[in-house]
Amino acid sequence: MKDAVETPSDRTLARIPEVGSAPIGSDAERHLSELWESAPGWRGWLSTVDHKEIGLRYLVTSFIFLLIGGGEALIMRVQLAGPDRHLLTPEQYNQLFTMHGITMIFLYALPVLSGFSNYLWPLMLGSRDMAFPRLNALSYWLFLFAGLFLYASFPLGEGPNSGWFNYVPLAGLEYNTGPNIDVYALGMVLLGISTTVGAVNFIVTLFRMRAPGMSIDKVPILVWGTLTASVANIFAVPSVSLAFFLLWLDRRNGTHFFDPLNDGKPMLWQHLFWMFGHPWVYVIVLPAMGIVSDALPTFCRRPLVGYAAVALSTMATMLLGFGVWIHHMFATGLPALAISFFGATSLAISIPSAVAVFAWIATIWLGRPVFQTPFLFFAGFVLLFVMGGLSGVMTAAVPLDLQLNDTYFVVAHLHYVLLGINVFPVVGGIYYWFPKFCGRMMNETLGKWSFWVLFIGFNLGFFPMHVAGLLGMPRRIYTYAPNMGWNSVNLVTSIGSFVFAAGILIFLSNIAFSLKRGALAPQNPWDAPTLEWAVPAPPPPYNFAVIPFIASRHPLWEDRLDTAEGRSNLQEGYLLMEGRETLGTTALDAVPDVILKMPDDTYAPFFLALFGSLGFAGLLLDWNRFTFLMTAAAGLSLAAWMWPRQKLVQRLPGVNGVTEAGRG
């Protein structure tokens, strides 16, 4: 899928972009606003391809799913607060447990990080948009419709009920005859398409859309984290999509990929699922670590210690992450040699993670910390990261894992990783970038209250699960007898869960209050060093009136040192005024070599996602004619998307693009 193509006539129209400035309120800025603004009202809402709008939608939608998943968790914790409780039937509990996992792992954890990256990447990289704006819009609409699709059967009492891991043969037709597992299978394939196109967009954006001079060793760590996760998704998502598609064929077309009675292999499901499942853990962790690596130094008043080591450890973590999936399968009877190899890899993966931890601690230790709300969340994250990581290393030891397998100890580890290492950076990141998003400051008092309530509630809720697991409490049970010795730890866990929920409510109340009554934010309220703070808050539709020249990892801090007579060096750069344009640069050194004509707003991504999702619904319901019609409608939407335009790309003349362009 492409948003821009080069035609032979374009090569003859190459031009050198003008170098200059565009002061606030100038005619140039007004002209750019007219070019880049979306239409008002519902038309603009459906057709916009602005990365900032799409990023905010990801954030809001994923937080709605977080609230839904959290509500499901609270109902389960009421059920488990004491022995022999029957608020839920076993089938209701299975559906609630499954949908809670699906929601938190697939509909919240990665999409919320995609929201940050969608909004911040072009601002951090000095670009006016993502590489493929329409593809960006498509990824959001597919995510939204996939989420609605996955919940389609749940209100009817036919939700997925085999756990978020969906093991066969329990997920097979012989044990689940309703539409529940079919909804899960097709919904995950649809969500996989969204994740894959988003990953392609991030990868191309990094390598082709950076500001001149921002070489690959100057990009923020958040960019490294999301890039690494995106590359991983290209390889991991096809594995789980294939697994769900094969399961759907088993259930609907009589194949036997996972049926042991017909030479199928149930273990094949686990291999395909965990080839995706364990890299996915790092997909939803590494961008969150990037948030901390970029924002924490702002409050320590010094650059991140060991930038290069942290960037390399980010890539090493994901690389090793593809070699540890079998540690989810130690109890399945695999050969001892395979178990030994994957156990060793599971221990080794802690090394690059430890590099990042020591870099954060050294940054705090060598800096002058300012104890504002975002800093509290980032510092709290470091502690939770260590606790979650240690329990992960424990389960990498095969003899101990065999004892802890399928106990609540594993549930505790999972929540420290998915909630502690994801939610705390996310909430801290929202406090940090809220002035950029909305132009207003969040309330500091409410912010500190939300941190302490969340931090206490989290540890009160999830640390006792370690104890319950050591006492032998198995996972996935809907009730228990009173004489098992688990009563007290489960009551404490349930209380902690409600305390954690209260912290989320304080946080959301702070957002609602600050949107209306928060103090107006200056352009750079935290005195941050990265490029997104060089533009007004909230940013204009075009991001940068001029594409700046970058010579540092901390352009705002070092620009201040070089400023002469009060004038910022970042106010001057490439002026691109002939339509929606931005600058393309070389992959490693960020030398300008192309002027990219960016696509206009269009309804095509919305309708392509809508008709494609309805086509999946037709597959679910066996409406063959309907499926054919929706496929044809999706094809027409794609044709409208790809309809060619003239002069989409203009190459800069000369071999040394930045030198010759600079002569303009």
Side-chain angles (χ1 to χ4, degrees):
M1 297 184 185
K2 55 184 179 179
D3 287 35
V5 294
E6 183 184 6
T7 63
S9 61
D10 292 331
R11 300 188 186 100
T12 65
L13 297 172
R15 61 186 172 89
I16 299 175
E18 180 184 354
V19 175
S21 62
I24 296 175
S26 64
D27 291 339
E29 282 209 333
R30 285 192 291 270
H31 176 63
L32 285 169
S33 293
E34 293 173 359
L35 290 172
W36 287 84
E37 274 184 337
S38 299
W42 65 268
R43 293 179 179 84
W45 195 82
L46 291 178
S47 65
T48 185
V49 295
D50 185 347
H51 72 95
K52 298 180 289 298
E53 292 289 335
I54 294 168
L56 291 176
R57 289 178 190 181
Y58 262 113
L59 288 172
V60 172
T61 306
S62 59
F63 255 87
I64 291 173
F65 281 122
L66 173 68
L67 295 178
I68 294 172
E72 293 163 349
L74 293 179
I75 295 173
M76 288 189 289
R77 287 317 313 174
V78 172
Q79 167 77 9
L80 294 172
D84 288 335
R85 299 179 69 89
H86 298 285
L87 174 66
L88 301 169
T89 66
E91 176 61 18
Q92 289 172 336
Y93 185 89
N94 284 342
Q95 292 187 28
L96 205 64
F97 160 76
T98 302
M99 289 307 299
H100 167 70
I102 292 171
T103 303
M104 302 301 279
I105 294 171
F106 299 124
L107 299 179
Y108 159 74
L110 178 63
V112 75
L113 297 173
S114 296
F116 279 104
S117 296
N118 267 292
Y119 193 101
L120 294 170
W121 262 44
L123 295 170
M124 286 182 160
L125 297 177
S127 177
R128 288 180 176 168
D129 211 326
M130 300 287 285
F132 303 117
R134 293 182 178 181
L135 205 63
N136 205 25
L138 177 67
S139 70
Y140 170 75
W141 291 119
L142 285 173
F143 155 62
L144 175 62
F145 292 140
L148 297 175
F149 190 97
L150 287 166
Y151 265 92
S153 63
F154 183 63
L156 304 177
E158 293 285 353
N161 59 357
S162 298
W164 68 275
F165 37 83
N166 207 47
Y167 284 163
V168 293
L170 182 60
L173 193 59
E174 61 271 30
Y175 293 103
N176 273 286
T177 57
N180 41 12
I181 304 301
D182 297 320
V183 169
Y184 189 18
L186 291 176
M188 284 299 294
V189 174
L190 189 61
L191 187 62
I193 298 172
S194 168
T195 304
T196 302
V197 299
V200 170
N201 200 11
F202 283 124
I203 293 169
V204 178
T205 298
L206 171 69
F207 286 112
R208 293 294 283 155
M209 306 292 285
R210 303 194 307 277
M214 186 179 282
S215 56
I216 201 71
D217 61 338
K218 294 185 178 71
V219 299
I221 297 294
L222 172 59
V223 176
W224 279 112
T226 309
L227 171 70
T228 306
S230 298
V231 173
N233 279 333
I234 296 297
F235 293 97
V237 171
S239 172
V240 76
S241 297
L242 175 64
F244 276 104
F245 180 67
L246 296 180
L247 177 61
W248 182 76
L249 290 177
D250 275 10
R251 293 176 55 85
R252 302 301 291 270
N253 293 279
T255 58
H256 304 288
F257 292 103
F258 305 116
D259 181 7
L261 298 179
N262 291 278
D263 293 327
K265 304 294 182 183
M267 284 288 288
L268 174 63
W269 171 271
Q270 292 199 37
H271 281 291
L272 289 174
F273 186 85
W274 290 117
M275 282 178 187
F276 154 84
H278 202 87
W280 186 262
V281 173
Y282 300 106
V283 164
I284 62 181
V285 165
L286 292 177
M289 295 166 62
I291 290 174
V292 176
S293 295
D294 283 335
L296 180 67
T298 298
F299 299 94
C300 296
R301 297 296 184 254
R302 60 149 296 130
L304 177 71
V305 172
Y307 167 92
V310 173
L312 291 172
S313 72
T314 299
M315 294 185 288
T317 298
M318 183 55 73
L319 186 64
L320 290 172
F322 276 93
V324 299
W325 81 86
I326 282 181
H327 84 212
H328 293 273
M329 303 167 60
F330 282 162
T332 59
L334 292 171
L337 181 61
I339 290 177
S340 300
F341 173 80
F342 283 92
T345 309
S346 301
L347 292 171
I349 202 170
S350 63
I351 297 173
S353 300
V355 170
V357 171
F358 284 114
W360 298 325
I361 294 173
T363 302
I364 297 172
W365 185 265
L366 298 175
R368 297 181 178 180
V370 179
F371 290 87
Q372 293 177 287
T373 298
F375 175 82
L376 296 178
F377 277 96
F378 301 144
F381 154 82
V382 175
L383 177 60
L384 298 178
F385 185 90
V386 173
M387 295 175 67
L390 288 175
S391 61
V393 172
M394 293 172 67
T395 57
V398 178
L400 184 58
D401 181 81
L402 293 175
Q403 297 298 315
L404 299 176
N405 184 63
D406 279 339
T407 71
Y408 255 76
F409 189 94
V410 180
V411 179
H413 165 67
L414 181 69
H415 282 83
Y416 266 85
V417 170
L418 295 183
L419 271 182
I421 304 178
N422 181 285
V423 170
F424 277 77
V426 163
V427 175
I430 289 176
Y431 275 108
Y432 180 64
W433 280 296
F434 188 85
K436 184 57 57 182
F437 297 157
C438 305
R440 292 183 179 272
M441 302 295 294
M442 293 186 71
N443 184 277
E444 188 70 13
T445 301
L446 283 176
K448 291 179 177 177
W449 270 100
S450 67
F451 166 74
W452 288 112
V453 174
L454 282 171
F455 189 78
I456 293 170
F458 180 87
N459 288 286
L460 188 66
F462 297 111
F463 190 82
M465 287 183 175
H466 294 96
V467 179
L470 293 173
L471 292 175
M473 182 175 177
R475 307 167 66 178
R476 309 161 196 157
I477 58 171
Y478 88 107
T479 191
Y480 51 93
N483 59 350
M484 302 299 293
W486 308 330
N487 299 11
S488 298
V489 289
N490 275 291
L491 179 60
V492 172
T493 292
S494 296
I495 292 171
S497 300
F498 279 89
V499 174
F500 186 81
I504 293 291
L505 290 178
I506 296 173
F507 167 66
L508 295 176
S509 299
N510 196 356
I511 289 180
F513 172 83
S514 301
L515 282 172
K516 296 293 184 181
R517 300 184 180 181
L520 293 177
Q523 182 169 304
N524 187 0
W526 311 114
D527 190 22
T530 43
L531 198 57
E532 73 273 20
W533 299 102
V535 299
Y542 49 83
N543 291 351
F544 296 91
V546 297
I547 307 299
F549 305 108
I550 302 300
S552 167
R553 291 179 192 149
H554 314 97
L556 268 64
W557 282 352
E558 297 191 18
D559 178 68
R560 187 168 59 211
L561 297 176
D562 295 336
T563 296
E565 300 179 359
R567 179 177 176 81
S568 171
N569 295 330
L570 296 175
Q571 289 178 354
E572 187 171 273
Y574 287 110
L575 282 168
L576 299 171
M577 311 294 292
E578 297 183 13
R580 289 194 179 191
E581 297 179 332
T582 192
L583 203 62
T585 55
T586 57
L588 297 180
D589 297 327
V591 176
D593 69 340
V594 65
I595 296 174
L596 298 172
K597 295 283 188 177
M598 306 305 289
D600 299 323
D601 291 352
T602 176
Y603 297 106
F606 170 77
F607 283 111
L608 179 57
L610 176 63
F611 293 136
S613 302
L614 290 175
F616 273 69
L619 287 174
L620 178 68
L621 300 171
D622 287 326
W623 294 352
N624 295 329
R625 291 184 179 178
F626 180 79
T627 302
F628 175 78
L629 289 174
M630 291 302 101
T631 303
L636 291 175
S637 300
L638 186 59
W641 175 335
M642 302 293 288
W643 198 259
R645 294 185 296 137
Q646 294 182 349
K647 295 193 302 184
L648 288 182
V649 177
Q650 295 184 1
R651 297 206 173 275
L652 300 184
V655 178
N656 301 317
V658 69
T659 303
E660 299 212 3
R663 294 174 186 167

